[in-house]
Amino acid sequence: MIRPRFACLRVVWVVSALVVAFWLWASPRPAFAQGPTRTVAVHLFEWRWEDIALECEQFLGPKGFAAVQVSPPQEHAIVTSSDGGPYPWWQRYQPVSYQLVSRSGDRQAFIDMVQRCHAAGVDVYVDAVINHMTGQESGVGSAGSTYTHYDYPNYAPWDFHYCGTPGNEIQSYSDRYQVQNCELVNLADLNTGSEYVRNTIAAYLNDLVSIGVDGFRIDAAKHMNTNDIAAILARVNGSPYIYQEVIEAAGEPITGDEYFQNGDVTEFDYSTSLGNVFLHGQLSWLSSFGEAWGFMPSDKALVFVDNHDNQRGHGGGGDVVTYKNGTLYDLANVFMLAWPYGYPRIMSSYEFSHRDQGPPSYSDGTTKPVHNPDGSLNCFGAEWKCEHRWRPIANMVEFRNVTAPAFYVSNWWTDGYNQIAFGRGDLGFVVINRDTSKWLSQTLQTGMPAGTYCDVISGERNGSSCTGNTITVNADGTASFSVPPMSAVAIHANSKVSNSVAVTFDVYATTYWGQNVYVVGNIPALGSWNTAQAVPLSASAYPRWRGTVQLPANTWVEYKYIKKDGGSVVWESGGNRTFTTPSGGSLTRTDTWR
Ligand code: ARE
Ligand code: CA
């Protein structure tokens, strides 16, 4: 099976074939371009080509995204009215010809986008609408071609299926013949069994491959016989990554596994099951999420929290989490990106109130930019939502890339309800608190090497500093977490801010019965001068009091000893004691109470 970004390997194929074979076996879908492993795709739904090119350069490339799925690029019907207003988003799922002139831009803009995304290390996947042409009876397409239902620049009436049901419409999804030979919502159904149709579709895909397109989402794959798709793909040059839209449903005869011969398949049960757990269930149920839930094999599954159909109630829509759920959407995506199953695709949407409503547009119907001319972003507000830029979602892309070699769950923990935590070997650890009122305060085994890590949910690592919270992993791999309701914490091998140093505080101090000695200092590990958070020392070698604490490396430390007897606090005299931690290893401070 071809993997995402596999194409980039061709240059190094001979020398690294064995290494690659091992990696493909060990960890589904890492990519092996030069540079970091890339394992996550994003669907920039309805974005203009120019905006996608900019996004590849400014965000997707630097953030380690593997690929972008773009909206159908071919000439499409123009629908001037729908229940959601003029120019509904779905007009692009009604091809008129295979000229690359669409609402997102023309051929030149498309080519420019592919080249600029490649230069940024990002692959481009095209949503290939090849089962059908328009449902509209007649009109002029986005490139100016006139058409009528069953008569298009590339096709004549004899190139279509007429299945014989009323209106040639699919009447029953439990009838395999109808699903593949009748019309899906009146869309003129191509006779994909014919040589001419196969060659014409293959020519379209080959045009895209020649431009550099790296993969195809096969739209409405369930509505084509798997062997028809195979016959078309056999005519396609190169080895594009293939994933097929097959919505498996109870009582339907056509199943996803029929399509594995051609490539991967969308796993819709993943989306609806995850939605059900996050909306109505308990995260503790997720410990075996994957094949054990009846999903297809991980290395065949393209997965998502929501897609462009089910987020708005089209195409098997229902109980899914979307941007409209706010923070819950962050948490569901954090889970998807941390959990070792399938090839994840992040959804990036625009605000809508009606399911048919098209993208943010000017009154003449042209699509508004995401990247404003002044360089600012039209994101997060009432128009484009840009979920892939929401920090928890964006930063978990690197988490998935970094943890790809450990494609398994370790150190699973749950409170039994809505708090979970798990590791990915010694490469990453994530804690998710979906409880709406209860804090998660726990010391957990992370499996990570000792050190100070930046929590990539609350901030970014910048060299050896972190704009968010830091987590200290002790020498035994444990760390303590304090996670507010409806939030998460994630650390990984690349978010390490500094190594830690085991510092032993050893002080000579006499006390009376009931009085104990503590150390307190300027950094969080020493309580940040809060005497209630001071570190207790042991009296087992009285009158010497001792304790060992993990402190960040190369750090300026100020501290003092205090005595507490339950009520009062006695500070030692004099100024603060000071030292700088070394770059690693351990250190003992031998002191005498003043
Ligand atoms: C629009 C209008 C129709 C009109 C038609 C033709 O809504 O009323 O008759 O145009 O003029 C999208 C939209 C459709 C839209 C279509 C064409 O969702 O509303 O029709 O574009 O403009 C089934 C298919 C699955 C398909 C979903 C939507 O199996 O392949 O329906 N998904 C893909 C895309 C869609 C796209 C198309 C296919 C067509 O992702 O965005 O449609 O290119 C059960 C079954 C599923 C079935 C589902 C819904 O769950 O198991 O197989 O999905 O019901 O019927
Ligand atoms: Ca068909």
Side-chain angles (χ1 to χ4, degrees):
M1 227 325 286
I2 302 307
R3 304 295 176 204
R5 296 186 51 76
F6 193 79
C8 303
L9 267 179
R10 266 174 257 147
V11 272
V12 290
W13 171 254
V14 178
V15 281
S16 51
L18 285 173
V19 178
V20 168
F22 170 76
W23 276 77
L24 289 178
W25 165 78
S27 55
R29 292 193 190 70
F32 300 96
Q34 288 86 350
T37 301
R38 295 172 183 260
T39 62
V40 181
V42 59
H43 181 192
L44 297 181
F45 178 53
E46 284 288 358
W47 283 40
R48 295 154 61 249
W49 307 149
E50 168 64 12
D51 277 309
I52 294 176
L54 287 165
E55 196 67 359
C56 281
E57 292 167 346
Q58 295 178 13
F59 199 78
L60 303 182
K63 281 290 191 182
F65 284 77
V68 55
Q69 177 187 315
V70 306
S71 285
Q74 86 297 321
E75 180 177 17
H76 54 80
I78 293 174
V79 177
T80 50
S81 79
S82 79
D83 292 347
Y87 317 120
W89 61 270
W90 43 254
Q91 63 182 13
R92 299 179 71 165
Y93 288 88
Q94 301 192 26
V96 170
S97 80
Y98 300 130
Q99 286 187 67
L100 301 182
V101 181
S102 69
R103 185 180 210 162
S104 288
D106 63 14
R107 182 180 183 90
Q108 199 45 52
F110 184 86
I111 292 170
D112 183 59
M113 168 189 74
V114 172
Q115 289 173 351
R116 289 164 66 187
C117 286
H118 282 179
V122 180
D123 282 359
V124 176
Y125 301 159
V126 156
D127 196 345
V129 185
I130 59 175
N131 172 66
H132 52 258
M133 300 300 279
T134 68
Q136 297 291 112
E137 293 306 321
S138 64
V140 177
S142 53
S145 307
T146 53
Y147 67 90
T148 59
H149 208 201
Y150 313 117
D151 211 339
Y152 303 89
N154 299 102
Y155 299 115
W158 50 83
D159 294 319
F160 294 89
H161 284 142
Y162 305 96
C163 74
T165 59
N168 294 308
E169 188 66 25
I170 298 170
Q171 310 278 305
S172 166
Y173 271 86
S174 58
D175 183 332
R176 170 185 293 271
Y177 178 83
Q178 286 192 17
V179 172
Q180 298 186 331
N181 297 279
C182 295
E183 293 177 5
L184 165 65
V185 292
N186 201 45
L187 299 161
D189 199 65
L190 284 163
N191 176 8
T192 44
S194 98
E195 285 297 296
Y196 174 77
V197 169
R198 289 174 176 181
N199 285 332
T200 305
I201 292 170
Y204 166 49
L205 302 183
N206 277 327
D207 181 34
L208 294 166
V209 166
S210 75
I211 289 171
V213 166
D214 306 275
F216 297 107
R217 168 190 184 268
I218 307 294
D219 180 68
K222 189 169 85 179
H223 300 275
M224 292 176 275
N225 186 297
T226 179
N227 294 328
D228 289 356
I229 296 175
I232 292 164
L233 294 178
R235 292 162 164 82
V236 173
N237 304 322
S239 320
Y241 169 61
I242 301 296
Y243 55 112
Q244 301 157 94
E245 190 225 9
V246 178
I247 305 177
E248 291 181 310
E252 291 191 22
I254 302 170
T255 55
D257 57 3
E258 297 174 25
Y259 293 83
F260 293 166
Q261 63 168 355
N262 304 321
D264 286 358
V265 173
T266 51
E267 179 48 281
F268 277 76
D269 284 348
Y270 185 102
S271 169
T272 50
S273 300
L274 196 65
N276 184 51
V277 170
F278 273 79
L279 289 165
H280 312 296
Q282 293 176 359
L283 269 56
S284 62
W285 300 347
L286 293 169
S287 63
S288 63
F289 200 64
E291 286 100 345
W293 286 47
F295 303 164
M296 57 189 70
S298 169
D299 67 352
K300 288 294 179 194
L302 186 292
V303 301
F304 43 92
V305 173
D306 59 331
N307 82 343
H308 74 279
D309 283 328
N310 71 11
Q311 72 169 189
R312 48 176 45 72
H314 282 241
D319 243 359
V320 299
V321 188
T322 75
Y323 79 84
K324 291 179 189 276
N325 296 97
T327 308
L328 191 69
Y329 191 67
D330 280 312
L331 299 186
N333 275 279
V334 167
F335 177 82
M336 173 177 76
L337 294 169
W339 192 254
Y341 176 88
Y343 179 26
R345 178 186 59 196
I346 294 170
M347 178 70 205
S348 193
S349 331
Y350 56 82
E351 174 93 37
F352 65 90
S353 53
H354 189 283
R355 54 185 285 181
D356 289 347
Q357 187 182 322
S361 300
Y362 297 110
S363 50
D364 66 356
T366 56
T367 304
K368 287 191 181 177
V370 180
H371 292 263
N372 294 320
D374 67 1
S376 64
L377 280 178
N378 181 8
C379 280
F380 318 122
E383 297 194 323
W384 301 99
K385 300 316 287 188
C386 306
E387 295 94 314
H388 68 290
R389 278 183 176 256
W390 298 8
R391 186 174 56 215
I393 300 175
N395 284 355
M396 286 305 286
V397 172
E398 186 181 18
F399 181 102
R400 196 172 187 87
N401 291 343
V402 167
T403 57
F407 207 69
Y408 54 83
V409 172
S410 49
N411 295 305
W412 168 265
W413 173 88
T414 177
D415 70 340
Y417 299 98
N418 267 315
Q419 302 182 337
I420 60 170
F422 58 92
R424 296 287 304 280
D426 60 357
L427 296 173
F429 193 77
V430 64
V431 185
I432 303 175
N433 184 7
R434 188 253 177 271
D435 201 290
T436 50
S437 58
K438 202 173 90 182
W439 278 67
L440 185 159
S441 300
Q442 289 287 332
T443 296
L444 299 171
Q445 176 54 248
T446 69
M448 302 281 288
T452 304
Y453 293 81
C454 188
D455 162 30
V456 300
I457 304 295
S458 62
E460 326 275 341
R461 179 179 71 82
N462 280 320
S464 60
S465 68
C466 172
T467 63
N469 303 321
T470 56
I471 299 292
T472 301
V473 175
N474 302 311
D476 64 359
T478 60
S480 55
F481 294 90
S482 196
V483 187
M486 293 301 285
S487 62
V489 168
I491 59 176
H492 58 73
N494 251 9
S495 82
K496 198 174 191 181
V497 181
S498 66
N499 290 322
S500 60
V501 177
V503 177
T504 300
F505 291 91
D506 180 337
V507 60
Y508 179 95
T510 53
T511 51
Y512 56 77
W513 187 250
Q515 194 182 39
N516 291 295
V517 179
Y518 295 71
V519 60
V520 65
N522 63 325
I523 58 177
L526 295 177
S528 302
W529 293 123
N530 175 354
T531 57
Q533 303 289 323
V535 178
L537 302 179
S538 156
S540 58
Y542 187 84
R544 303 210 67 87
W545 293 75
R546 286 196 186 122
T548 302
V549 191
Q550 296 289 325
L551 299 184
N554 303 315
T555 301
W556 172 251
V557 178
E558 300 183 21
Y559 68 100
K560 268 190 157 185
Y561 296 101
I562 57 175
K563 293 176 182 174
K564 299 203 278 187
D565 64 3
S568 63
V569 175
V570 181
W571 288 82
E572 63 174 338
S573 60
N576 295 338
R577 301 174 185 269
T578 64
F579 69 105
T580 299
T581 57
S583 58
S586 61
L587 170 82
T588 299
R589 303 289 302 173
T590 307
D591 297 314
T592 301
W593 175 271
R594 296 180 309 221

